[in-house]
Amino acid sequence: MNRFNPHLPRLPRLPLAAFRRRALLRAVFVLLLAGSAFLVLQLLTDERQRLQRAYEAGFRGQLDVLAERLRHPSGQLALRNAGRPADTAQGSVPLRLPFGAIDFDDPAKAERAVEMSGCSQRHADGSEACIAVGQRASAGAFVYAVVRLQAGPLLGRAPGQTALDEVHRAQVLLTHAGQRQRWLAPLELLSERRGQLAGFATDADALDPRARPDRDFRGWLWQEPACVQDGDDPATCARRTLLTLRVPVAAWREAARAGAAWPPADLPQLRVAVQLLGPDPQTGLLFDSLRASASPAPSVGDLAANLQAGELLTVFAAQGETPIARVQGPAPAGQAAYPWLTRLIRRLPAARLEGPLQAEATLPSGHRLRLEGDLKSVDRTLSATATRYASYFGGLAGAIALAWLIVEIGLLRRMAQLTRRANALTLQLQRAPDQLPPLDVDDLKGRDELGILAGTLSELLARAREHLRGEQLRAHQEREQWQAVGHEIMSPLQSLLALHGADDDTSRRYLLRMQAALNLLYGQASVGEAMTQAQVQRERLDLADFLRQVAANAPYAGIEGVVAEGCDAPCEVYADALKLEDALTHLLTNAQRYRLPGTPIVLHLLAGAETAQVEVHNQGPTIDPARLDTLFELGAGDAEGPTHRGQGLFIARGYLAKMGGTIEVRNAADGVVFTLRLPRP
């Protein structure tokens, strides 16, 4: 029997056609889940391929950036001082300069050399010092010191004065091969803001009247006219002061004269300490290079900031295969990622390289660079990003599954039960047309559409059963009535047949006919029974036509008002058109950012015999002169925002250099002018 309705037999199996709509609906949900998963996998695959291509392209450019930094004098300084011993209590080992010597007699040249090489070490009080040796053996017998600090009015030594407590003086301590030498250099003023330092080799704090200065020890002390703080008393205010020294090393002097190789093997054993003493007893020590708060000297390790996670930079010496420095990129960030998601991403198809990802470059100094990349960092980054969005996909899949579950339990299952019960009722009616079993749908009733339909069917069947029961009762009453009537008629009819029993009686024939009709009517029970993812190619280029095209295409890049001048006649140069356009785009974008509204940006071409010059001029605020020398350095830009990294001018200079050209910047009367020079055929 049926467990839902004891009056119905066991529910039969439905034909396949009855499951067609339900199968289609379930297939839609399956395809929706599968399509969502496939879409996510395709997006991950496309993103992995894109990130990997971007990483490989950036990896090649990364080595060029590192090589460019190491070609700079500051980079050469770091290369030459790789493996330099740490400072001790006796002093610091002089840095090896990337050029011959420091012109200590000229303050501007001395400061320019320090700025260019980046050898200056900053102290906590704001003072800076560069203690170094030259590159040539002829200048190698000296140690150069350039110190920038703030000091009060200068007090010099009077002629014949031996007590030095009330004058400015420099003190230099040299420790070499176990021997210690002390230099005392009092200030001898030549003017109010300038003085010379004569060095005396002595261990005393006062001079011997018979002492004579060493002619190889030379030094200068300069002060700027303006006070550091505006409004201070000019007679007592602090001013920016520059100290330059050239200190001889006796052991190296003889070796230099004999033509010994440079640098000397005992350079790491030399320790130098420089101090500047003043007349004020409370602040007598104006500068001391022995202070432990000095910033570290430039090193190759500073390049770690330019490396990505997992990358390794190896620097080899000019001769030999022994690495002089290894710079490891930062450790992979501890980004949260599901391990199973990381394994899945690594199995996605992507362009794979044969062997490890690495590139090499050779510097003009002979040093070789080898950069090794880590493609797994792309997978880690993508895995961390995908992990953050995994909850959204999980929510989407969960919503689809929940909708499927609701439809399956709340609709399809109830529809299947109603269909099977209706089918069983149909079969029962076919077997017993005069019976109408009840349809139990109490568990399917509800306020939704299917519940209303089940309730309506149940009510209709109940009314049909009542009507059928009434019809059956009425038919039964009619049958009984007809039976009674037939019985009452049959009895007198039998009597009449007895009276007219003769065969030749004419009435008997009619009576027999009435009896036959009455038997037929009496024997009937009822009258109504029966129904669902940077190389540069230099070639001849007409610069005049190229500039006209750049000016014409500038509005499509959002830069209006670009004018090309001096481009009437052809002007051929050696250049890479794509790289040159990239460099000009950086300059035009920079000019667009700072020009006065409504003013043009002028591209002016000047053709020379050997070079062609392009001036990019915009009207607007000028650049701080102090920033002109560093404007093309990496990260020197001042624009804010996530798209401004301060690398546009640096890239422009790099492209121009690779094409054999140069780029400069200067302030004009009404704005700024960038000048590009390219070689002509």
Side-chain angles (χ1 to χ4, degrees), residues 227-238:
C227 297
V228 175
Q229 298 291 338
D230 295 337
D232 290 350
D233 186 4
T236 60
C237 69

Side-chain angles (χ1 to χ4, degrees), residues 552-620:
N553 294 334
Y556 299 107
I559 305 175
E560 302 289 344
V562 179
V563 180
E565 297 181 352
C567 301
D568 300 330
C571 177
E572 288 192 347
V573 295
Y574 276 131
D576 186 321
L578 296 178
K579 301 296 187 300
L580 181 58
E581 184 174 359
D582 194 5
L584 281 173
T585 301
H586 286 301
L587 297 182
L588 292 176
T589 303
N590 191 69
Q592 165 77 2
R593 188 181 305 128
Y594 294 105
R595 69 171 172 181
L596 293 177
T599 60
I601 301 175
V602 180
L603 301 177
H604 187 69
L605 175 62
L606 297 174
E610 297 181 356
T611 61
Q613 177 176 307
V614 179
E615 294 183 348
V616 182
H617 175 223
N618 70 279
Q619 301 179 29

Side-chain angles (χ1 to χ4, degrees), residues 35-36 44 196 222 272 317 414 434 578 676:
S36 300
L44 289 176
Q196 187 174 5
W222 290 277
V272 181
R414 296 166 65 196
D434 58 343
L578 296 178
L676 288 75

